[in-house]
Amino acid sequence: MTTYPPSDDFVKRAHVQGLEAYRALYEQAKADPEKFWSELAQKELSWFKPFTKGLEWNPPFAKWFTGGKINASYNCLDRHVAAGRSAKTAIVFEGEPGDQRIISYQELHRLVCRFASVIKQLGYKAGDRAIIYMPMIPELPIALLACARLGITHSVVFGGFSAEALKARAQDLDATLVITADGGWRRGKEVALKGAVDESLEECPNVRNVVVYKRTGSDIPMTAGRDLWWHELDQKLNAQEAENCPAEELDPEHPLFVLYTSGTTGKPKGILHTTGGYLLQATMTMKWVFDLSPEDVYWCTADIGWVTGHSYIVYGPLSAGATSVLYEGSPDFPAFDRFWDIIERHKVSIFYTSPTAIRALIRQGDDWPNKHDLSSLRLLGSVGEPINPAAWQWFYKVIGKERCPIVDTWWQTETGAIMISPMPGAVPAKPGSATLPLPGIIVEVVDTKGIEVGNNREGYLIIKQPWPSMVRTVWGDPKRFEEQYWSRVPGSYFTGDAARRDDDGYYWVLGRVDDVMNVSGHRLSTMEIESALVHHPAVAEAAVVGKPHEISGQAVCAFVTLKKGEWDHKALQQELRQFVGHEIGPFARPEEIRFTDALPKTRSGKIIRRLLREIVTSKGAPVGDITTLEDMTVLASLSSQHDDD
Ligand code: 7RM
């Protein structure tokens, strides 16, 4: 198979140069991980008080850098200002309507201090939890960093989630503060946010305040005593207060944020990340994977509502002192060259996006990128799902002009930072492989008993040693944390992904082994959508599977049995889509809903999703083992169904 080594020019200026250098670093980390990470933590982060112990490991619970005092907001802002980088651009913001803001580190520091002062004066303090539900505007990272400054644990809820999803998260966290906006812009239309907040808070009595940033200027109701305008609170600050909001000196294990992610049951898990270890790995991977240097203009197109935005728009780039682009809207608005136009105008040198976005843009043809000067690019990155070789080749040739290495980065909400990826100046790429694990990351491919399967065989991907940015627990449910991640292969972290290692030691991640779908790089649980569907009065039972999809990787396909009655199937399909949109969020709506008289089940009554998967994949009868099936006639009727039945 063809490999793609970096050019000599790329290698010459890279942080890690050549395969030997990578191997040396990897071996050094493997020999003494605690020492390796401790030395980096001392060197790469600023501490108020040095730590005394690298790692305390009581499987599956880890504590990193015990005894130290640190603050993530300080590391992202104050330390750069103190080191003479005040004038450097931190954020290049482009709103969807075309508005722009260039924000220096000094200005960002000032804005974060002001907003931290605002919420401090409202009485919020370290240990409290805030829900953040905002569009992709600078006030979103500002809100995160203000919370981090005070030790308030934040939980960003992606703007595409519904009021129901928002409520579940606010309740699970027992949040007392919500930070939101009137709305944001997407595809030329306003995405309203405040309405969903109002609806969700009807059942969240512990939320004392909603701070609302004015973005679109549309008319929204404000609840007296509870809802407050960001700009009004800001105007009330006196200069003294605004400028004086020192970062709290926090324990490195202080909870920095919780992000909810889909698991194998209907209820999303609150993945907890803490301060010191998370920040260290977010920072290191900016150098190792993105090869960041001071003159780079870096752009990650993810939404801050997902972990990629947390680690690679906010904490990683800012802690590493990068200039980072923030774009509010959609890649196809006003035209299909919005990405290429932004890259040209802002001279982006590092561009990190998803296979789904790449595939959607390929469809629009090469004329769109070819109209633009993309010569500022020097490195490309991919995340969220396996990248198919055709998309890889297009990205490499049409966007990177065969000059730019591609880093295919494998990681998860739970891992906090990139785990498997080429170091671009050291590891030659193979299209479709995330290549080799980063230093300090010990991975293996194992069978159901936890025994290594050997090269070129498929198995479960596990991580064998604790790492600084690992998930610490599932919020409020340490038992679930233990069962979900650490019980399949005792003592190792179970990723939920299948993988294969080739003879060069390269890892090929094949996809989920559990009931989690990956739609446009968004994680969705089959159970979560099923439980939404069965809430609808017409639905008796539902089974959801992922169906291969050309652009989004997978699409949601639901098999539904109805309660007795006369139903208009066409109308009901529409209604159920809307219903799932309301229960979870528009992005979770099934693309396809098939009505059926019965679902295939085992004799013990478990739905056999594997058979449904085979039906949607092959468009015909399932080929696998069906001996456990309770009622064979179900299959024949399911397979003969067509999309519009
Ligand atoms: C960062 C992120 C995690 C799941 C993970 C995989 C899949 C992510 C890749 C990938 C193959 C990749 N966090 N995944 N990156 N599969 N190659 N480079 O996506 O928590 O939302 O999803 O995504 O299945 O388990 S996530």
Side-chain angles (χ1 to χ4, degrees):
M1 157 169 248
T2 325
T3 64
Y4 294 78
S7 68
D8 292 345
D9 279 354
F10 191 96
V11 175
K12 245 186 271 161
R13 54 167 291 189
H15 281 290
V16 180
Q17 307 180 349
L19 206 49
E20 285 316 306
Y22 158 78
R23 290 206 193 285
L25 202 58
Y26 190 83
E27 288 310 317
Q28 186 201 333
K30 194 173 170 184
D32 192 343
E34 188 176 346
K35 179 159 173 267
F36 177 77
W37 290 118
S38 296
E39 284 175 2
L40 286 177
Q42 276 162 18
K43 190 166 148 272
E44 303 282 339
L45 299 178
S46 291
W47 297 83
F48 298 123
K49 187 174 163 226
F51 51 89
T52 48
K53 176 110 185 74
L55 170 66
E56 283 177 64
W57 179 224
N58 299 305
F61 299 100
K63 286 186 183 169
W64 285 90
F65 313 129
T66 308
K69 291 285 180 199
I70 191 166
N71 185 290
S73 177
Y74 182 94
N75 273 273
C76 290
L77 302 167
D78 306 55
R79 68 160 162 164
H80 301 310
V81 173
R85 291 189 287 272
S86 329
K88 180 165 182 180
T89 300
I91 293 177
V92 177
F93 169 68
E94 181 152 324
E96 201 193 64
D99 49 325
Q100 293 195 19
R101 285 161 71 185
I102 307 288
I103 304 173
S104 67
Y105 272 91
Q106 178 159 28
E107 177 66 358
L108 190 63
H109 176 261
R110 197 179 73 87
L111 294 169
V112 169
C113 284
R114 291 189 78 93
F115 190 61
S117 299
V118 160
I119 51 181
K120 193 174 180 175
Q121 286 195 4
L122 291 172
Y124 297 96
K125 56 179 194 312
D128 293 342
R129 272 90 55 204
I131 292 275
I132 303 181
Y133 189 60
M134 291 186 83
M136 284 278 287
I137 56 175
E139 281 65 28
L140 175 51
I142 289 168
L144 267 68
L145 293 168
C147 287
R149 200 163 184 86
L150 302 177
I152 298 168
T153 303
H154 60 71
S155 187
V156 181
V157 177
F158 172 56
F161 276 114
S162 68
E164 280 298 314
L166 194 59
K167 179 180 83 186
R169 286 155 176 74
Q171 287 178 342
D172 191 62
L173 275 175
D174 194 15
T176 49
L177 171 66
V178 173
I179 305 167
T180 189
D182 44 1
W185 296 109
R186 196 162 172 91
R187 296 207 173 89
K189 293 204 187 81
E190 183 181 354
V191 180
L193 295 168
K194 178 65 168 42
V197 171
D198 290 338
E199 195 184 325
S200 69
L201 293 191
E202 282 165 19
E203 290 168 65
C204 299
N206 293 341
V207 171
R208 291 202 311 275
N209 293 111
V210 179
V211 177
V212 189
Y213 184 80
K214 195 187 276 261
R215 165 70 180 148
T216 58
S218 67
D219 225 3
I220 50 160
M222 297 287 279
T223 302
R226 187 194 70 183
D227 300 354
L228 304 158
W229 284 108
W230 178 311
H231 62 272
E232 286 179 4
L233 295 169
D234 182 80
Q235 279 157 15
K236 278 190 214 137
L237 293 170
N238 65 45
Q240 182 93 43
E241 291 162 349
E243 269 150 47
N244 188 19
C245 190
E248 291 283 322
E249 302 191 1
L250 301 169
D251 189 285
E253 287 300 329
H254 188 80
L256 179 62
F257 67 85
V258 173
L259 256 184
Y260 284 83
T261 187
S262 296
T264 46
T265 72
K267 192 173 177 268
K269 296 173 286 204
I271 299 302
L272 173 68
H273 283 291
T274 58
T275 306
Y278 170 79
L279 197 65
L280 177 63
Q281 256 176 300
T283 311
M284 288 321 300
T285 45
M286 285 305 298
K287 301 188 182 183
W288 286 341
V289 177
F290 297 112
D291 195 45
L292 187 77
S293 62
E295 57 280 4
D296 276 311
V297 177
Y298 162 93
W299 183 20
C300 167
T301 68
D303 193 290
I304 295 175
W306 307 108
V307 74
T308 305
H310 280 61
S311 302
Y312 297 109
I313 297 179
V314 184
Y315 290 109
L318 295 175
S319 170
T323 293
S324 175
V325 174
L326 179 70
Y327 170 55
E328 177 183 27
S330 148
D332 55 5
F333 191 86
F336 293 109
D337 60 348
R338 188 65 186 258
F339 276 6
W340 323 129
D341 181 50
I342 291 176
I343 290 172
E344 178 174 14
R345 278 187 292 108
H346 298 296
K347 302 216 168 5
V348 172
S349 57
I350 304 170
F351 180 60
Y352 189 33
T353 192
S354 68
T356 291
I358 296 167
R359 287 192 295 263
L361 291 167
I362 290 175
R363 273 246 287 238
Q364 306 307 326
D366 298 1
D367 288 350
W368 293 105
N370 288 345
K371 278 202 293 198
H372 294 276
D373 176 5
L374 303 179
S375 62
S376 56
L377 289 171
R378 67 178 198 93
L379 179 65
L380 303 173
S382 169
V383 63
E385 55 192 304
I387 178 164
N388 50 307
W392 196 98
Q393 292 294 348
W394 186 85
F395 203 26
Y396 189 68
K397 292 190 178 128
V398 180
I399 305 307
K401 316 290 180 204
E402 302 183 39
R403 258 186 325 101
C404 308
I406 296 180
V407 288
D408 177 354
T409 62
W410 177 87
W411 60 297
Q412 307 175 301
T413 307
E414 294 87 339
T415 67
I418 297 167
M419 300 279 105
I420 307 179
S421 164
M423 287 183 163
V427 179
K430 293 185 192 181
S433 170
T435 77
L436 302 173
L438 293 177
I441 307 305
I442 315 292
V443 290
E444 241 171 45
V445 180
V446 301
D447 63 15
T448 45
K449 295 195 184 70
I451 297 164
E452 258 197 284
V453 295
N455 286 354
N456 304 311
R457 280 167 208 262
E458 194 175 318
Y460 300 124
L461 181 67
I462 61 165
I463 307 178
K464 296 201 69 165
Q465 297 272 338
W467 64 99
S469 65
M470 67 195 256
V471 45
R472 294 303 195 264
T473 189
V474 171
W475 185 263
D477 200 348
K479 220 172 150 223
R480 192 170 174 200
F481 171 65
E482 207 156 353
E483 282 166 9
Q484 188 82 49
Y485 300 109
W486 300 91
S487 64
R488 290 274 205 117
V489 181
S492 287
Y493 169 83
F494 187 78
T495 64
D497 277 341
R500 181 165 46 80
R501 186 178 59 211
D502 69 17
D503 290 328
D504 295 327
Y506 278 39
Y507 288 82
W508 299 76
V509 177
L510 306 165
R512 304 289 307 187
V513 295
D514 51 15
D515 291 322
V516 173
M517 290 170 294
N518 191 325
V519 179
S520 302
H522 296 160
R523 253 167 86 170
L524 284 169
S525 125
T526 55
M527 307 271 245
E528 204 177 337
I529 299 174
E530 287 163 7
S531 55
L533 283 166
V534 297
H535 272 149
H536 189 279
V539 175
E541 266 192 315
V544 165
V545 293
K547 174 185 168 167
H549 188 276
E550 211 189 316
I551 305 272
S552 57
Q554 282 187 312
V556 178
C557 179
F559 291 84
V560 169
T561 63
L562 296 173
K563 290 185 184 154
K564 282 219 166 9
E566 290 292 311
W567 306 106
D568 174 348
H569 283 189
K570 269 251 154 14
L572 195 58
Q573 272 174 340
Q574 276 311 101
E575 192 178 319
L576 290 176
R577 278 196 197 103
Q578 295 287 341
F579 192 75
V580 172
H582 182 264
E583 294 274 304
I584 303 169
F587 68 96
R589 283 185 199 148
E591 176 174 276
E592 192 176 320
I593 294 179
R594 300 194 193 185
F595 296 112
T596 167
D597 292 335
L599 293 170
K601 289 189 185 166
T602 63
R603 285 176 192 114
S604 63
K606 286 202 182 74
I607 296 170
I608 313 176
R609 287 194 191 73
R610 179 179 59 78
L611 291 180
L612 298 173
R613 261 196 299 274
E614 287 177 20
I615 289 169
V616 298
T617 309
S618 64
K619 285 244 162 208
V623 288
D625 178 21
I626 52 167
T627 50
T628 53
L629 189 65
E630 168 69 22
D631 176 4
M632 296 294 231
T633 59
V634 173
L635 264 194
S637 84
L638 282 172
S639 325
S640 65
Q641 289 228 355
H642 294 289
D643 291 7
D644 287 326
D645 280 2

